[in-house]
């Protein structure tokens, strides 16, 4: 029987999803609040402060997930026993898959910020 991997393994496995969720909430809340509080954010074809700040924050989230993914790829899977090795390999693969999905999700939700002008209509 394998021992409980601990809270660190659980946090590593869910870190990408937590970052993706926080990026989603921050981008769309910032989009709404930015249109409400900044009168000069009308869509006139130029880059405005609302779009710029949301892009910086969104790409910041993507950078953090990419750094976690790079760290994940460089970290080898270590195990003490045969049963522990299979469990660690599984957790390692799930962590990598979740990070890739999270990075793709963050870049996907950045697309409307790039394409839709804020406060249009």
């Amino acid at each position: 029987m394998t021992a409980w991997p601990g809270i660190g393994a659980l946090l590593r496995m869910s870190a990408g999803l937590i970052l993706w969720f926080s990026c989603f909430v921050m981008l769309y809340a910032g989009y709404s609040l930015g249109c409400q509080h900044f009168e000069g954010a009308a869509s006139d074809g130029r880059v405005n402060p609302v779009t710029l700040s949301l892009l910086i924050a969104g790409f910041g989230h993507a950078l953090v997930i990419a750094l976690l993914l790079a760290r994940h790829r460089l970290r080898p899977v270590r195990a003490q026993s045969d049963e522990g090795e299979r469990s660690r390999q599984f957790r390692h693969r799930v962590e990598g898959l979740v990070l890739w999905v999270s990075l793709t999700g963050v870049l996907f939700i950045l697309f409307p910020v790039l394409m839709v002008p804020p406060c249009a209509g």
Side-chain angles (χ1 to χ4, degrees):
M1 186 169 165
T2 60
W4 174 253
I7 194 75
L10 185 62
L11 283 175
R12 279 192 308 273
M13 285 176 54
S14 61
L17 294 175
I18 293 169
L19 286 167
W20 181 15
F21 172 74
S22 70
C23 181
F24 184 84
V25 168
M26 189 215 46
L27 282 179
Y28 287 100
Y31 201 78
S32 298
L33 292 174
C35 288
Q36 184 179 9
H37 293 292
F38 293 107
E39 300 296 328
S43 60
D44 57 357
R46 295 178 302 176
V47 175
N48 54 45
V50 175
T51 304
L52 187 62
S53 63
L54 293 176
L55 286 175
I56 289 171
F59 282 120
H61 276 85
L63 178 66
V64 170
I65 294 173
L67 290 173
L68 286 173
L69 191 59
R71 179 179 170 262
H72 167 78
R73 305 261 308 163
L74 295 175
R75 189 181 56 214
V77 181
R78 288 172 263 138
Q80 287 81 14
S81 65
D82 190 32
E83 188 175 334
E85 180 180 353
R86 291 182 61 202
S87 175
R88 287 176 195 252
Q89 285 178 348
F90 173 76
R91 286 193 310 263
H92 192 73
R93 288 181 182 144
V94 167
E95 181 184 343
L97 178 66
V98 167
L99 286 171
W100 274 112
V101 167
S102 300
L103 182 61
T104 304
V106 166
L107 295 176
F108 184 75
I109 63 174
L110 274 174
F111 184 72
V113 174
L114 286 170
M115 301 312 281
V116 177
C119 314

